[in-house]
Amino acid sequence: MDKAHVADILDEIGTLLDIQGENVFKCRAYHNAARIITGLSDDLTALVASGAIRNVKGIGEALSDKITELVTTGRLAYFDDLKASFPPGVFEMMKIQGVGPKKVKVLLETLKITTVDQLAKACTEGRLETVDGFGKKTQENILAGIELLRKHSSQFLFSVAERAALTILRRMAERPDVLQCEIAGSIRRKKEVVGDIDIVVAAKKANAKKILSAFAAHESVQRVIAEGETKASVVLDIGINCDLRVVDPAEYPFALHYFTGSKDHNVRIRALAKTRELSLNEYGFSALGAKEARGKAKRIIPCATEDDIYRTLGLSLIPPELREDNGEVEASEAGSLPVLIEERDIRGTFHCHTTYSDGANTIAEMSEAARALGWEYLGLADHSKAAAYANGMDETRVRKQQKEIDLVNQNYTDFRILKGIEVDILATGELDFSDAVLSTFDYVVASVHSGFKMSEADMTRRILKAVSNKYVTMIGHLTGRLLLLREGYALNRHEIIDAAAGQGTIIEINAHPSRLDLDWRLCRYAKEKGMLFAINPDAHVVDGLADVRYGVGTARKGWLEKKDVLNTSTLREVERYLSLT
Ligand code: DGT
Ligand code: CA
Ligand code: CA
Ligand code: ZN
């Protein structure tokens, strides 16, 4: 079990104890332990194996026993028992934006509410208004949160779905009877949220049944929906459906292409095949008009790869991320497909947090982690004072941090920590620091963290004002959305992009898997307006730096190339861009 998973469970224990009304110190100990585990720079499995986990500050004897049980067995009896002592609806309720343990506790005790349905009913009947600590506004927000939760109940974050898909794919790839395998569907297309997992496997027909039973018996499978000769459908423990199809090696590229989609892209490609007197389906090409049948006789143009399929149609390979029928077929025909940015093009990043605000790791830990990724620079952008909930820095702490950065930078000749700030855009559009303070940073990220409920016109004006501030290098998480949880604030995104592109202000692609904001659907528009982008992980722990890969997925899906993204530049180029040399 990895660090993140262990930390999640510790956090959840703390929360459940909170609801039970345990004493605050005990609850806090679990939440603290979760933070400590997340921020560990050492390998957790090794710490457990050597027993050194016991000596980590903040982890006492009882906690280290629990962590050891989790890491070595993948389970924790104490947690299972604790969870079982709650009505199951409680966990569902806590998924509602704005409903935490404190509210759940009150709801349980005063209104005896134990399910989301009961909560929704209580809201519509106006019964929450009367409860201490709740009000009309809270009641409205909770109801909106429930609607959103219901709307998205069958959708999953890309990161969550991909992680689950990879555990199955890896198992398949290890099997000698599996000749090729790949994740298809919306995950392969890097959609930010997905409905289910699609996996395609190439194998000899004689081995299909064995492979499908192994799949159905995978430890992450909770329930088998159907298991046939060539396909099985299951529900995984995280609640997502997963379809696995076993096809003949000769059919594999066709099946992979078909099940990668999107449906609209497939329709376009099939129409193109028709113009060449060909019929295309998930098994192969056949002569148009020939009776659709499976089998060698009909498969008139053998293809070993997707590349071959596209070539047969006079196209160059269209990367999966672009297969949304957004002009990619035309661009491929014209030979004008973009050469998409790749993960390995990234040389650093600009929006990360440290213990100076709400991050879990120190400056030195973050910079070492960035160096381990092979990066040349790491821009730190801790919160400013208005973000009090996130331990935002005042002017004094800013000076202290900048001194510490200078000190740590002395250790490096081939790497530089950049002094940034994530400054709050106040309700008026003014920034949280004076120009004099802003001028002390190497660059400035400006973000909205409050007053989400403004009108579209007011919010647009607010952000436009920040865009035009000469100290602002980039705008952070433009819409503030939290995927599947919270819609972004009302905003005229096109107007802001136009202004930002015109004034040379960057709009970041926030790579946190819950944000992926700027949305890929707007990247191409912004690029056409001349926008430069930055891909930022918004990391609050060392492991968060690797989230840039999700941002690269978004950038690729938005047709971006290496040259469109500032953090593909070398340190020297970035220094020049930020006028640091
Ligand atoms: P999702 O799962 O909702 O996030 O999105 P997808 O794109 O993974 O959709 P899914 O799982 O229903 O189907 C996987 C792919 O299979 C889809 O992208 C294209 C292909 N496909 C499914 N149904 C049809 C269809 O009726 N016509 C065509 N042309 N392709 C289809
Ligand atoms: Ca799918
Ligand atoms: Ca599917
Ligand atoms: Zn932020």
Side-chain angles (χ1 to χ4, degrees):
M1 188 175 276
D2 63 7
K3 263 192 273 186
H5 200 163
V6 171
D8 283 349
I9 290 178
L10 294 175
D11 245 336
E12 199 167 340
I13 293 176
T15 303
L16 293 177
L17 293 176
D18 252 341
I19 302 177
Q20 270 190 347
E22 264 290 349
N23 85 55
V24 291
F25 297 104
K26 188 165 172 187
C27 303
R28 211 173 290 158
Y30 279 95
H31 291 303
N32 281 339
R35 223 178 0 258
I36 292 165
I37 296 293
T38 310
L40 280 178
S41 22
D42 294 320
D43 181 55
L44 182 61
T45 315
L47 283 176
V48 164
S50 69
I53 184 73
R54 222 165 273 266
N55 308 328
V56 173
K57 195 166 163 263
I59 308 279
E61 172 127 3
L63 270 163
S64 73
D65 285 349
K66 292 197 173 71
I67 294 166
T68 303
E69 186 179 334
L70 269 173
V71 170
T72 51
T73 69
R75 307 199 66 96
L76 178 60
Y78 171 74
F79 177 55
D80 292 343
D81 293 346
L82 183 65
K83 247 177 118 163
S85 70
F86 284 88
V90 162
F91 304 98
E92 203 59 26
M93 279 201 274
M94 276 194 293
K95 287 186 194 157
I96 303 165
Q97 174 74 4
V99 177
K102 283 205 192 70
K103 288 212 170 67
V104 167
K105 185 166 188 282
V106 176
L107 291 169
L108 276 173
E109 284 168 2
T110 58
L111 300 177
K112 310 269 177 271
I113 289 175
T114 58
T115 68
V116 174
D117 284 345
Q118 289 170 0
L119 181 56
K121 190 152 176 282
C123 287
T124 37
E125 289 168 0
R127 279 188 284 135
L128 256 60
E129 283 172 44
T130 58
V131 179
D132 233 14
F134 291 70
K136 221 182 168 76
K137 197 94 207 134
T138 314
Q139 182 168 278
E140 276 169 25
N141 289 343
I142 290 179
L143 202 55
I146 293 176
E147 268 163 33
L148 212 58
L149 186 70
R150 285 184 175 153
K151 193 165 110 199
H152 296 314
S153 63
S154 55
Q155 295 201 291
F156 296 81
L157 287 184
F158 170 85
S159 57
V160 172
E162 189 206 32
R163 200 177 308 131
L166 283 173
T167 64
I168 291 172
L169 189 76
R170 287 200 189 102
R171 189 68 57 76
M172 286 293 141
E174 284 166 5
R175 297 177 61 96
D177 55 1
V178 167
L179 305 171
Q180 291 183 77
C181 58
E182 185 98 59
I183 299 169
S186 47
I187 300 180
R188 185 156 181 248
R189 301 199 314 278
K190 305 268 174 17
K191 275 282 300 289
E192 69 278 22
V193 294
V194 306
D196 74 353
I197 300 172
D198 301 281
I199 296 177
V200 185
V201 166
K204 287 206 182 108
K205 200 169 171 41
N207 295 324
K209 278 220 86 116
K210 258 193 311 182
I211 293 169
L212 288 168
S213 354
F215 165 60
H218 189 275
E219 65 270 16
S220 67
V221 171
Q222 191 195 60
R223 188 161 62 82
V224 178
I225 303 169
E227 193 179 333
E229 301 285 320
T230 59
K231 177 187 167 184
S233 292
V234 303
V235 184
L236 302 184
D237 48 11
I238 58 166
I240 196 169
N241 281 34
C242 178
D243 295 337
L244 184 135
R245 294 173 178 86
V246 182
V247 302
D248 187 83
E251 293 168 355
Y252 179 75
F254 296 101
L256 179 62
H257 180 264
Y258 180 88
F259 292 112
T260 296
S262 66
K263 201 167 151 182
D264 292 342
H265 177 83
N266 288 356
V267 168
R268 290 294 310 276
I269 295 296
R270 203 173 311 156
L272 204 60
K274 272 199 182 139
T275 66
R276 297 184 176 235
E277 298 298 314
L278 291 169
S279 158
L280 172 65
N281 62 18
E282 61 265 52
Y283 309 116
F285 281 117
S286 53
L288 195 64
K291 203 165 135 4
E292 291 225 351
R294 236 183 132 163
K296 241 185 201 132
K298 299 287 178 195
R299 205 178 305 118
I300 58 175
I301 303 169
C303 290
T305 60
E306 284 188 325
D307 214 347
D308 295 341
I309 299 175
Y310 283 105
R311 199 160 338 122
T312 303
L313 300 173
L315 301 175
S316 55
L317 178 79
I318 299 175
E321 293 90 336
L322 301 189
R323 299 182 195 169
E324 301 287 352
D325 191 21
N326 275 334
E328 72 277 11
V329 177
E330 290 77 2
S332 178
E333 271 175 328
S336 61
L337 279 175
V339 179
L340 299 180
I341 181 175
E342 296 187 37
E343 275 175 51
R344 61 160 186 264
D345 295 331
I346 299 291
R347 293 169 182 265
T349 196
F350 302 98
H351 180 179
C352 300
H353 297 265
T354 70
T355 45
Y356 272 88
S357 65
D358 58 348
N361 291 99
T362 63
I363 293 173
E365 286 165 349
M366 291 299 276
S367 58
E368 281 307 303
R371 283 163 58 77
L373 291 172
W375 290 353
E376 298 171 30
Y377 46 91
L378 179 70
L380 301 179
D382 274 307
H383 287 284
S384 64
K385 60 195 176 194
Y389 66 92
N391 185 30
M393 300 186 288
D394 60 9
E395 289 80 350
T396 314
R397 270 198 297 135
V398 164
R399 274 194 298 277
K400 182 159 176 261
Q401 183 184 44
Q402 293 186 345
K403 279 206 187 104
E404 186 176 333
I405 291 176
D406 285 335
L407 223 78
V408 179
N409 268 336
Q410 284 175 11
N411 302 328
Y412 304 130
T413 53
D414 55 349
F415 180 87
R416 177 167 177 175
I417 305 168
L418 300 170
K419 295 172 192 156
I421 181 77
E422 182 179 19
V423 69
D424 265 46
I425 303 175
L426 307 177
T428 55
E430 304 283 333
L431 301 179
D432 194 17
F433 283 131
S434 67
D435 286 358
V437 175
L438 291 177
S439 70
T440 66
F441 297 102
D442 293 340
Y443 68 96
V444 171
V445 183
S447 312
V448 167
H449 291 115
S450 60
F452 296 163
K453 296 248 145 73
M454 280 184 170
S455 71
E456 176 175 321
D458 285 347
M459 186 61 94
T460 305
R461 211 174 307 123
R462 175 181 179 185
I463 297 179
L464 282 175
K465 185 154 184 190
V467 164
S468 64
N469 183 305
K470 70 173 178 181
Y471 291 104
V472 171
T473 320
M474 57 185 89
I475 300 294
H477 43 72
L478 180 63
T479 75
R481 74 177 182 187
L482 291 176
L483 293 167
L484 307 180
L485 264 185
R486 180 175 87 198
E487 311 274 12
Y489 17 88
L491 189 69
N492 187 331
R493 294 181 297 174
H494 289 89
E495 205 180 316
I496 292 171
I497 289 169
D498 293 351
Q503 295 171 52
T505 306
I506 292 171
I507 294 183
E508 79 168 3
I509 294 176
N510 190 297
H512 190 285
S514 294
R515 294 188 182 270
L516 299 177
D517 182 12
L518 193 62
D519 191 281
W520 59 269
R521 294 163 190 84
L522 278 166
C523 285
R524 222 167 124 206
Y525 173 80
K527 175 182 169 160
E528 276 156 19
K529 291 283 167 178
M531 167 86 67
L532 180 65
F533 299 82
I535 299 177
N536 292 329
D538 203 349
H540 287 72
V541 295
V542 285
D543 289 348
L545 292 177
D547 285 350
V548 287
R549 61 180 287 265
Y550 300 121
V552 172
T554 296
R556 288 174 61 86
K557 207 156 178 55
W559 291 55
L560 301 189
E561 308 186 66
K562 186 176 168 182
K563 64 171 167 41
D564 299 319
V565 177
L566 178 61
N567 39 327
T568 62
S569 304
T570 62
L571 174 57
R572 295 290 159 258
E573 288 163 345
V574 166
E575 286 173 337
R576 219 169 308 133
Y577 180 84
L578 298 175
S579 310
L580 303 179
T581 48

